[in-house]
Each structure stands twice: as structure tokens, then as C-alpha cells.
Amino acid sequence: MAGQLVLIGGPANRPLAEASARALGVPLAACEVARFPDGEIHVEVHESVRNADVYLLQPTSPPIESHLFQLLLLADACRRGGAERVTAVVPYFGYARQDRRASGREAVGARVVADAMGGVHIDRVVAVDLHTPALEGVFPMPLEQLTAVPRLAEALGPDAEREVVVAPDAGAIKLAERWARRLELPHAAVHKTRIGGGEVQTRGLAGEVRGCRPLVVDDMISTGGTIAGAIAAVLEAGAIPDVVVAVTHALFVGSAGERLRKLPIACTFVTDTVGAEPPPGLNVRTVSVAPLLADAVSRLHEGRSLGDVILHV
Ligand code: R5P
């Protein structure tokens, strides 16, 4: 077993850090994250981490650059403080969608972020429902991919009584297949083209949704454009206007609330990886990933298998 377990919660999502600490039965180590008057971020860990097995819990959610840099500085502080091993637990991994170039002169943001984590000698990264499992290839260190799908599926309760699982775009097909297997339902997929940051276009779908109550699943809601486009497409194809949505990462940026409120969504199930306040007027149920993170941290610390908490692609 590695040195003593030390859990540090960055400022990005304190409620999740506190809930994970409770689930793990350890206190959060005291640390300070502040800004100097010129805007520089300053961090200091107030407890010994010498020879420790440190877990830094910080989603790189909006404001992404601040949260990412806080994480990098915390990792550096732990390393310089003599930690034996530093694991970044990043429930939501910002820049995950920048996983490849669409044109010749774009950056591959996910690779830049993963390299920055390697640059401060983070030994391992733990993430939840990454935009694509293929992202593993950009990380210079081992990546453990957890999935919140079983927790979301349990939380659905009677809302799991659906007739079809819908992937809102091609990227979500594997996820929809996992949901469909779990709920023993058929699945369908919407043809989506992104035409701008918050604008998408849909062109029909593959699969049968007529007369069905759909469960639309995705890795995240950001502007809500993808989910809104998918719902419009399934309604046009004859689905019943009684939709349940289940996503892991709830960013709800910009006018997501306004967009989604207009739609026949009975309930939106999300997790607390990001911790953004759900928009008013939308029926949102939040499932905590704290038990999942605590389970993964305890298994990693004790050198036990991650078994069924990791994503089986
Ligand atoms: C894209 O491929 C992702 O899986 C999500 O579908 C998308 O990023 C959600 O963003 P938005 O809510 O802005 O459409």
C-alpha cells in the first residue's frame, strides 16, 4: 500500500469534495487557494503530505482555466512537499471535446491539458464519463475512467419506464448502447452537425421512435443545444412528447435553461461532477458521484482492482 491517504479538495466543487471525504471517512486536508493582487493564483497545503498518497479532487469546470491552474499548482505544491504519489481526481475534464483537429490549424486542447498535468508530475488521473474513452491516448500517465451511468440509472426509478434510448449525436451512440443494454430497450441515434459553439443542426435519425417515450442520454449538457436538437428530431419522427434526459455533466451554460424549459422534458437527471446550479423552472434531479469517487480512491489507495467502477468500453 502507498503512504498515508491524503484527500485535498480544490475550490472548484467544494460540496462534492466534502461529500467524497465523508463517503471515504477521511477529513479534507487544509489548503489555501487565493489570488495575489495582480491576479496570480497562489496555493498552499497546510498539512504534511510527505510520503503521502495524495488525491486532489478538482473538476476543471468553468471557469476552466482558473480551475485547471489551481489543480496544477496544488499538484506542484504536493510534489514539492514530498508526496509519494499524486492522483488528480477530475470528475469533469474540461477541454475533453477538443480531442482532435477539424481543420489544420486548431489546437488539440485535451492533449495540451493532459501534458500540463504530466508536466507537474501528476502520476494518475481519474475522470468520470469522459467525452470519449479514446481520450486515454492523450494522457502521458495512466487514466482511470469511471462511469456514473449505473448511479444515474438507479436514480431513474419509475422514469426508467421508457420505450427507447436516444443518442443525440454519433458520439453518444456507445453511451446509448450501454444504457439500452442496462434498461433492455432499443436505441436510436440522431444525426447532428454542430454549426457553432451553441448551435446544432439535426437531420433525421436512425432507429424507430414513433409512439415511444424517449430517454435521451449524453455525456453533458452545456448550452443545451444538442439535447434540444435531439428532442426536436425525435418529436418530428413521432415520439411521444414525454422525454426524460440523463447526462453526467451538467454545465448549463448561457441560455441552456431557457432552451430546455420550452421542451416536453419530464425530468433531467444529472450528477454533481460540475456543481453548477440547475436553471430555475427545469425539473432537475442531481445524483451525487461522491460514493463512486470515494470507492475508486479507496480501491486505488489500497491497491485493489477498480472492477466494476471503471468504464468497460
Ligand atoms: C458533444 O459531442 C457532446 O457529447 C455533447 O453532446 C455536447 O457537447 C453538449 O453541448 P451543448 O449542450 O452545448 O450542445
Side-chain angles (χ1 to χ4, degrees):
M1 199 194 289
Q4 190 203 340
L5 192 163
V6 172
L7 180 66
I8 296 178
N13 190 340
R14 288 298 293 182
L16 177 59
E18 281 156 15
S20 302
R22 278 194 302 278
L24 202 51
V26 300
L28 282 174
C31 70
E32 194 181 305
V33 178
R35 272 199 195 264
F36 284 142
D38 63 357
E40 284 181 4
I41 297 171
H42 173 254
V43 312
E44 190 172 350
V45 178
H46 289 307
E47 287 177 30
S48 172
V49 291
R50 190 154 302 282
N51 301 326
D53 183 23
V54 176
Y55 294 82
L56 288 173
L57 198 161
Q58 168 100 329
T60 51
S61 49
I64 299 174
E65 288 73 20
S66 299
H67 289 158
L68 171 63
F69 212 68
Q70 290 163 352
L71 174 68
L72 298 177
L73 293 180
L74 282 166
D76 188 63
C78 292
R79 182 60 71 200
R80 289 174 195 280
E84 182 185 316
R85 187 167 70 172
V86 178
T87 300
V89 181
V90 188
Y92 170 74
F93 186 86
Y95 283 88
R97 291 180 289 176
Q98 293 191 36
D99 58 336
R100 74 185 92 107
R101 293 182 301 169
S103 76
R105 290 179 300 280
E106 279 183 303
V108 180
R111 172 66 190 257
V112 173
V113 172
D115 278 347
M117 291 182 177
V120 292
H121 307 291
I122 287 173
D123 296 294
R124 184 170 41 199
V125 174
V126 175
V128 182
D129 289 330
L130 276 180
H131 173 56
T132 163
L135 268 176
E136 175 152 22
V138 308
F139 285 84
M141 71 288 279
L143 166 75
E144 306 296 356
Q145 304 196 44
L146 310 184
T147 178
V149 167
R151 290 196 62 75
L152 282 166
E154 271 165 36
L156 285 187
D159 282 314
E161 302 290 314
R162 304 269 114 195
E163 286 81 35
V164 66
V165 176
V166 176
D169 57 24
I173 291 178
K174 285 239 166 309
L175 175 70
E177 283 171 358
R178 286 209 303 281
W179 272 96
R181 269 198 303 277
R182 178 169 276 274
L183 300 179
E184 298 181 355
L185 291 175
H187 64 278
V190 174
H191 294 293
K192 171 187 111 176
T193 314
R194 187 169 284 286
I195 50 175
E199 291 306 318
V200 303
Q201 226 170 38
T202 55
R203 283 178 293 109
L205 49 80
E208 190 46 74
V209 297
R210 184 167 300 282
C212 298
R213 289 167 309 150
L215 168 65
V216 182
V217 298
D218 206 355
D219 58 330
M220 67 166 85
I221 292 178
S222 179
T223 65
T226 299
I227 295 291
I231 293 177
V234 295
L235 294 180
E236 203 181 308
I240 297 174
D242 169 7
V243 183
V244 169
V245 174
V247 301
T248 300
H249 310 294
L251 283 94
F252 293 124
V253 305
S255 50
E258 212 176 298
R259 210 171 218 168
L260 298 174
R261 265 196 304 273
K262 294 182 191 143
L263 300 167
I265 304 176
C267 191
T268 302
F269 290 84
V270 303
T271 78
D272 56 354
T273 54
V274 170
E277 205 49 47
L282 200 63
N283 182 18
V284 176
R285 288 223 225 126
T286 305
V287 181
S288 183
V289 293
L292 175 68
L293 301 182
D295 191 13
V297 167
S298 118
R299 288 171 191 240
L300 289 170
H301 175 62
E302 291 165 12
R304 289 187 287 122
S305 162
L306 284 174
D308 54 359
V309 299
I310 51 169
L311 180 67
H312 296 283
V313 187

PDB file of all heavy atoms in Angstrom, residues 45 53 66 83 86 91 93 105 130-132 173 175 183 188 193 205 207 212 220 234 249 257 284 289 304:
ATOM      1  N   VAL A  45      -0.616  24.109   0.775  1.00  0.00           N
ATOM      2  CA  VAL A  45      -1.223  22.999   1.518  1.00  0.00           C
ATOM      3  C   VAL A  45      -0.754  23.139   2.954  1.00  0.00           C
ATOM      4  O   VAL A  45       0.442  23.280   3.209  1.00  0.00           O
ATOM      5  CB  VAL A  45      -0.787  21.644   0.894  1.00  0.00           C
ATOM      6  CG1 VAL A  45      -1.375  20.483   1.694  1.00  0.00           C
ATOM      7  CG2 VAL A  45      -1.223  21.569  -0.563  1.00  0.00           C
ATOM      8  N   ASP A  53       0.041   9.421  -0.072  1.00  0.00           N
ATOM      9  CA  ASP A  53      -0.659   9.055  -1.308  1.00  0.00           C
ATOM     10  C   ASP A  53      -1.771  10.102  -1.456  1.00  0.00           C
ATOM     11  O   ASP A  53      -2.817  10.006  -0.817  1.00  0.00           O
ATOM     12  CB  ASP A  53      -1.244   7.640  -1.131  1.00  0.00           C
ATOM     13  CG  ASP A  53      -1.921   7.147  -2.396  1.00  0.00           C
ATOM     14  OD1 ASP A  53      -1.594   7.647  -3.478  1.00  0.00           O
ATOM     15  OD2 ASP A  53      -2.773   6.233  -2.278  1.00  0.00           O
ATOM     16  N   SER A  66      -8.976  28.845 -14.639  1.00  0.00           N
ATOM     17  CA  SER A  66      -8.670  29.018 -13.204  1.00  0.00           C
ATOM     18  C   SER A  66      -8.650  27.666 -12.512  1.00  0.00           C
ATOM     19  O   SER A  66      -7.723  27.353 -11.753  1.00  0.00           O
ATOM     20  CB  SER A  66      -9.732  29.858 -12.491  1.00  0.00           C
ATOM     21  OG  SER A  66      -9.788  31.105 -13.062  1.00  0.00           O
ATOM     22  N   ALA A  83       5.139  14.485  -1.449  1.00  0.00           N
ATOM     23  CA  ALA A  83       4.144  13.412  -1.650  1.00  0.00           C
ATOM     24  C   ALA A  83       4.781  12.275  -2.443  1.00  0.00           C
ATOM     25  O   ALA A  83       5.569  12.506  -3.358  1.00  0.00           O
ATOM     26  CB  ALA A  83       2.934  13.957  -2.397  1.00  0.00           C
ATOM     27  N   VAL A  86       0.786  11.370  -6.510  1.00  0.00           N
ATOM     28  CA  VAL A  86      -0.281  12.380  -6.636  1.00  0.00           C
ATOM     29  C   VAL A  86      -1.256  11.922  -7.727  1.00  0.00           C
ATOM     30  O   VAL A  86      -0.876  11.732  -8.880  1.00  0.00           O
ATOM     31  CB  VAL A  86       0.299  13.772  -7.006  1.00  0.00           C
ATOM     32  CG1 VAL A  86      -0.830  14.790  -7.179  1.00  0.00           C
ATOM     33  CG2 VAL A  86       1.288  14.252  -5.953  1.00  0.00           C
ATOM     34  N   PRO A  91     -13.479  14.957 -11.836  1.00  0.00           N
ATOM     35  CA  PRO A  91     -14.779  14.374 -12.212  1.00  0.00           C
ATOM     36  C   PRO A  91     -15.275  14.892 -13.553  1.00  0.00           C
ATOM     37  O   PRO A  91     -15.824  14.134 -14.346  1.00  0.00           O
ATOM     38  CB  PRO A  91     -15.709  14.801 -11.076  1.00  0.00           C
ATOM     39  CG  PRO A  91     -14.825  15.203  -9.956  1.00  0.00           C
ATOM     40  CD  PRO A  91     -13.534  15.651 -10.550  1.00  0.00           C
ATOM     41  N   PHE A  93     -13.753  16.792 -16.890  1.00  0.00           N
ATOM     42  CA  PHE A  93     -12.478  17.144 -17.506  1.00  0.00           C
ATOM     43  C   PHE A  93     -12.708  18.154 -18.629  1.00  0.00           C
ATOM     44  O   PHE A  93     -13.183  17.797 -19.714  1.00  0.00           O
ATOM     45  CB  PHE A  93     -11.822  15.857 -18.043  1.00  0.00           C
ATOM     46  CG  PHE A  93     -10.428  16.049 -18.571  1.00  0.00           C
ATOM     47  CD1 PHE A  93      -9.334  15.988 -17.728  1.00  0.00           C
ATOM     48  CD2 PHE A  93     -10.206  16.293 -19.919  1.00  0.00           C
ATOM     49  CE1 PHE A  93      -8.047  16.170 -18.206  1.00  0.00           C
ATOM     50  CE2 PHE A  93      -8.919  16.473 -20.411  1.00  0.00           C
ATOM     51  CZ  PHE A  93      -7.838  16.415 -19.552  1.00  0.00           C
ATOM     52  N   ARG A 105      -5.260  24.044 -38.574  1.00  0.00           N
ATOM     53  CA  ARG A 105      -4.593  24.944 -37.639  1.00  0.00           C
ATOM     54  C   ARG A 105      -5.366  25.122 -36.346  1.00  0.00           C
ATOM     55  O   ARG A 105      -5.502  26.217 -35.829  1.00  0.00           O
ATOM     56  CB  ARG A 105      -4.335  26.296 -38.323  1.00  0.00           C
ATOM     57  CG  ARG A 105      -3.255  26.202 -39.414  1.00  0.00           C
ATOM     58  CD  ARG A 105      -3.015  27.530 -40.104  1.00  0.00           C
ATOM     59  NE  ARG A 105      -4.214  28.047 -40.759  1.00  0.00           N
ATOM     60  CZ  ARG A 105      -4.656  27.627 -41.947  1.00  0.00           C
ATOM     61  NH1 ARG A 105      -4.003  26.706 -42.612  1.00  0.00           N
ATOM     62  NH2 ARG A 105      -5.757  28.133 -42.466  1.00  0.00           N
ATOM     63  N   LEU A 130     -15.802  10.534 -19.550  1.00  0.00           N
ATOM     64  CA  LEU A 130     -15.112  11.446 -20.464  1.00  0.00           C
ATOM     65  C   LEU A 130     -15.879  11.536 -21.779  1.00  0.00           C
ATOM     66  O   LEU A 130     -16.541  10.570 -22.171  1.00  0.00           O
ATOM     67  CB  LEU A 130     -13.716  10.906 -20.765  1.00  0.00           C
ATOM     68  CG  LEU A 130     -12.617  11.238 -19.780  1.00  0.00           C
ATOM     69  CD1 LEU A 130     -11.315  10.608 -20.260  1.00  0.00           C
ATOM     70  CD2 LEU A 130     -12.445  12.738 -19.632  1.00  0.00           C
ATOM     71  N   HIS A 131     -15.717  12.648 -22.446  1.00  0.00           N
ATOM     72  CA  HIS A 131     -16.420  12.855 -23.716  1.00  0.00           C
ATOM     73  C   HIS A 131     -16.238  11.656 -24.655  1.00  0.00           C
ATOM     74  O   HIS A 131     -17.181  11.212 -25.298  1.00  0.00           O
ATOM     75  CB  HIS A 131     -15.909  14.143 -24.343  1.00  0.00           C
ATOM     76  CG  HIS A 131     -16.438  14.372 -25.704  1.00  0.00           C
ATOM     77  ND1 HIS A 131     -17.789  14.413 -25.970  1.00  0.00           N
ATOM     78  CD2 HIS A 131     -15.817  14.540 -26.886  1.00  0.00           C
ATOM     79  CE1 HIS A 131     -17.965  14.610 -27.256  1.00  0.00           C
ATOM     80  NE2 HIS A 131     -16.794  14.683 -27.836  1.00  0.00           N
ATOM     81  N   THR A 132     -15.015  11.129 -24.726  1.00  0.00           N
ATOM     82  CA  THR A 132     -14.804   9.894 -25.482  1.00  0.00           C
ATOM     83  C   THR A 132     -13.729   9.057 -24.773  1.00  0.00           C
ATOM     84  O   THR A 132     -12.702   9.598 -24.369  1.00  0.00           O
ATOM     85  CB  THR A 132     -14.383  10.164 -26.946  1.00  0.00           C
ATOM     86  OG1 THR A 132     -13.813   8.958 -27.475  1.00  0.00           O
ATOM     87  CG2 THR A 132     -13.375  11.276 -27.091  1.00  0.00           C
ATOM     88  N   ILE A 173     -23.390   7.326 -29.294  1.00  0.00           N
ATOM     89  CA  ILE A 173     -24.010   6.030 -29.612  1.00  0.00           C
ATOM     90  C   ILE A 173     -23.561   4.932 -28.640  1.00  0.00           C
ATOM     91  O   ILE A 173     -24.384   4.164 -28.131  1.00  0.00           O
ATOM     92  CB  ILE A 173     -23.751   5.623 -31.085  1.00  0.00           C
ATOM     93  CG1 ILE A 173     -24.544   6.571 -32.000  1.00  0.00           C
ATOM     94  CG2 ILE A 173     -24.162   4.177 -31.341  1.00  0.00           C
ATOM     95  CD1 ILE A 173     -24.345   6.336 -33.484  1.00  0.00           C
ATOM     96  N   LEU A 175     -22.548   5.236 -25.615  1.00  0.00           N
ATOM     97  CA  LEU A 175     -23.185   5.512 -24.324  1.00  0.00           C
ATOM     98  C   LEU A 175     -24.648   5.048 -24.358  1.00  0.00           C
ATOM     99  O   LEU A 175     -25.126   4.381 -23.431  1.00  0.00           O
ATOM    100  CB  LEU A 175     -23.105   7.020 -24.037  1.00  0.00           C
ATOM    101  CG  LEU A 175     -23.812   7.525 -22.791  1.00  0.00           C
ATOM    102  CD1 LEU A 175     -23.077   7.049 -21.540  1.00  0.00           C
ATOM    103  CD2 LEU A 175     -23.886   9.061 -22.789  1.00  0.00           C
ATOM    104  N   LEU A 183     -31.148  -1.108 -19.588  1.00  0.00           N
ATOM    105  CA  LEU A 183     -32.606  -0.988 -19.425  1.00  0.00           C
ATOM    106  C   LEU A 183     -33.377  -1.955 -20.325  1.00  0.00           C
ATOM    107  O   LEU A 183     -34.608  -1.945 -20.337  1.00  0.00           O
ATOM    108  CB  LEU A 183     -33.060   0.453 -19.714  1.00  0.00           C
ATOM    109  CG  LEU A 183     -32.459   1.553 -18.833  1.00  0.00           C
ATOM    110  CD1 LEU A 183     -32.990   2.917 -19.243  1.00  0.00           C
ATOM    111  CD2 LEU A 183     -32.745   1.322 -17.353  1.00  0.00           C
ATOM    112  N   ALA A 188     -31.860   4.539 -30.534  1.00  0.00           N
ATOM    113  CA  ALA A 188     -31.891   5.281 -31.793  1.00  0.00           C
ATOM    114  C   ALA A 188     -30.825   6.362 -31.703  1.00  0.00           C
ATOM    115  O   ALA A 188     -30.362   6.686 -30.605  1.00  0.00           O
ATOM    116  CB  ALA A 188     -33.276   5.909 -31.981  1.00  0.00           C
ATOM    117  N   THR A 193     -25.178  17.918 -36.666  1.00  0.00           N
ATOM    118  CA  THR A 193     -23.992  18.641 -37.142  1.00  0.00           C
ATOM    119  C   THR A 193     -23.896  19.896 -36.301  1.00  0.00           C
ATOM    120  O   THR A 193     -24.895  20.608 -36.127  1.00  0.00           O
ATOM    121  CB  THR A 193     -24.157  19.079 -38.621  1.00  0.00           C
ATOM    122  OG1 THR A 193     -24.673  17.972 -39.357  1.00  0.00           O
ATOM    123  CG2 THR A 193     -22.848  19.532 -39.227  1.00  0.00           C
ATOM    124  N   LEU A 205     -32.994  10.748 -37.997  1.00  0.00           N
ATOM    125  CA  LEU A 205     -32.370   9.843 -37.039  1.00  0.00           C
ATOM    126  C   LEU A 205     -32.374   8.413 -37.547  1.00  0.00           C
ATOM    127  O   LEU A 205     -33.124   8.065 -38.461  1.00  0.00           O
ATOM    128  CB  LEU A 205     -33.046   9.948 -35.669  1.00  0.00           C
ATOM    129  CG  LEU A 205     -34.565   9.883 -35.561  1.00  0.00           C
ATOM    130  CD1 LEU A 205     -35.047   8.452 -35.616  1.00  0.00           C
ATOM    131  CD2 LEU A 205     -34.986  10.506 -34.235  1.00  0.00           C
ATOM    132  N   GLY A 207     -33.146   4.581 -36.412  1.00  0.00           N
ATOM    133  CA  GLY A 207     -33.852   3.848 -35.352  1.00  0.00           C
ATOM    134  C   GLY A 207     -35.307   4.282 -35.312  1.00  0.00           C
ATOM    135  O   GLY A 207     -35.693   5.280 -35.930  1.00  0.00           O
ATOM    136  N   CYS A 212     -43.053   6.167 -29.077  1.00  0.00           N
ATOM    137  CA  CYS A 212     -42.228   5.805 -27.903  1.00  0.00           C
ATOM    138  C   CYS A 212     -41.994   7.015 -27.007  1.00  0.00           C
ATOM    139  O   CYS A 212     -41.924   8.146 -27.479  1.00  0.00           O
ATOM    140  CB  CYS A 212     -40.842   5.312 -28.342  1.00  0.00           C
ATOM    141  SG  CYS A 212     -40.890   3.840 -29.339  1.00  0.00           S
ATOM    142  N   MET A 220     -22.860  15.222 -21.490  1.00  0.00           N
ATOM    143  CA  MET A 220     -23.004  16.527 -20.847  1.00  0.00           C
ATOM    144  C   MET A 220     -24.083  17.389 -21.492  1.00  0.00           C
ATOM    145  O   MET A 220     -24.459  17.189 -22.649  1.00  0.00           O
ATOM    146  CB  MET A 220     -21.692  17.299 -20.943  1.00  0.00           C
ATOM    147  CG  MET A 220     -21.323  17.687 -22.350  1.00  0.00           C
ATOM    148  SD  MET A 220     -20.013  18.915 -22.365  1.00  0.00           S
ATOM    149  CE  MET A 220     -18.622  17.863 -22.256  1.00  0.00           C
ATOM    150  N   VAL A 234     -36.664  13.808 -32.417  1.00  0.00           N
ATOM    151  CA  VAL A 234     -37.487  12.628 -32.073  1.00  0.00           C
ATOM    152  C   VAL A 234     -38.982  12.965 -32.118  1.00  0.00           C
ATOM    153  O   VAL A 234     -39.802  12.135 -32.507  1.00  0.00           O
ATOM    154  CB  VAL A 234     -37.108  11.959 -30.714  1.00  0.00           C
ATOM    155  CG1 VAL A 234     -35.732  11.369 -30.756  1.00  0.00           C
ATOM    156  CG2 VAL A 234     -37.285  12.888 -29.537  1.00  0.00           C
ATOM    157  N   HIS A 249     -22.579  15.257 -16.910  1.00  0.00           N
ATOM    158  CA  HIS A 249     -22.031  16.576 -16.559  1.00  0.00           C
ATOM    159  C   HIS A 249     -23.027  17.685 -16.901  1.00  0.00           C
ATOM    160  O   HIS A 249     -23.379  17.870 -18.068  1.00  0.00           O
ATOM    161  CB  HIS A 249     -20.719  16.818 -17.306  1.00  0.00           C
ATOM    162  CG  HIS A 249     -19.754  15.676 -17.182  1.00  0.00           C
ATOM    163  ND1 HIS A 249     -19.187  15.329 -15.974  1.00  0.00           N
ATOM    164  CD2 HIS A 249     -19.284  14.788 -18.098  1.00  0.00           C
ATOM    165  CE1 HIS A 249     -18.390  14.281 -16.163  1.00  0.00           C
ATOM    166  NE2 HIS A 249     -18.437  13.933 -17.430  1.00  0.00           N
ATOM    167  N   GLY A 257     -31.047  26.875 -19.808  1.00  0.00           N
ATOM    168  CA  GLY A 257     -32.313  26.730 -19.075  1.00  0.00           C
ATOM    169  C   GLY A 257     -33.490  27.156 -19.936  1.00  0.00           C
ATOM    170  O   GLY A 257     -34.482  26.439 -20.074  1.00  0.00           O
ATOM    171  N   VAL A 284     -34.904  19.172 -12.418  1.00  0.00           N
ATOM    172  CA  VAL A 284     -33.586  18.536 -12.466  1.00  0.00           C
ATOM    173  C   VAL A 284     -33.384  17.725 -11.196  1.00  0.00           C
ATOM    174  O   VAL A 284     -33.606  18.219 -10.094  1.00  0.00           O
ATOM    175  CB  VAL A 284     -32.464  19.601 -12.576  1.00  0.00           C
ATOM    176  CG1 VAL A 284     -31.083  18.952 -12.522  1.00  0.00           C
ATOM    177  CG2 VAL A 284     -32.620  20.391 -13.867  1.00  0.00           C
ATOM    178  N   VAL A 289     -21.919  11.806  -7.334  1.00  0.00           N
ATOM    179  CA  VAL A 289     -20.896  10.807  -7.679  1.00  0.00           C
ATOM    180  C   VAL A 289     -19.927  10.606  -6.514  1.00  0.00           C
ATOM    181  O   VAL A 289     -18.944   9.880  -6.655  1.00  0.00           O
ATOM    182  CB  VAL A 289     -20.109  11.186  -8.966  1.00  0.00           C
ATOM    183  CG1 VAL A 289     -20.996  11.132 -10.191  1.00  0.00           C
ATOM    184  CG2 VAL A 289     -19.420  12.543  -8.839  1.00  0.00           C
ATOM    185  N   ARG A 304      -6.392  -2.166  -4.712  1.00  0.00           N
ATOM    186  CA  ARG A 304      -7.392  -3.170  -5.109  1.00  0.00           C
ATOM    187  C   ARG A 304      -7.858  -2.877  -6.531  1.00  0.00           C
ATOM    188  O   ARG A 304      -7.736  -1.758  -7.017  1.00  0.00           O
ATOM    189  CB  ARG A 304      -8.593  -3.120  -4.157  1.00  0.00           C
ATOM    190  CG  ARG A 304      -8.267  -3.654  -2.773  1.00  0.00           C
ATOM    191  CD  ARG A 304      -9.510  -3.737  -1.917  1.00  0.00           C
ATOM    192  NE  ARG A 304      -9.991  -2.438  -1.469  1.00  0.00           N
ATOM    193  CZ  ARG A 304     -11.196  -1.955  -1.701  1.00  0.00           C
ATOM    194  NH1 ARG A 304     -12.074  -2.656  -2.395  1.00  0.00           N
ATOM    195  NH2 ARG A 304     -11.545  -0.778  -1.236  1.00  0.00           N
TER     196      ARG A 304
END
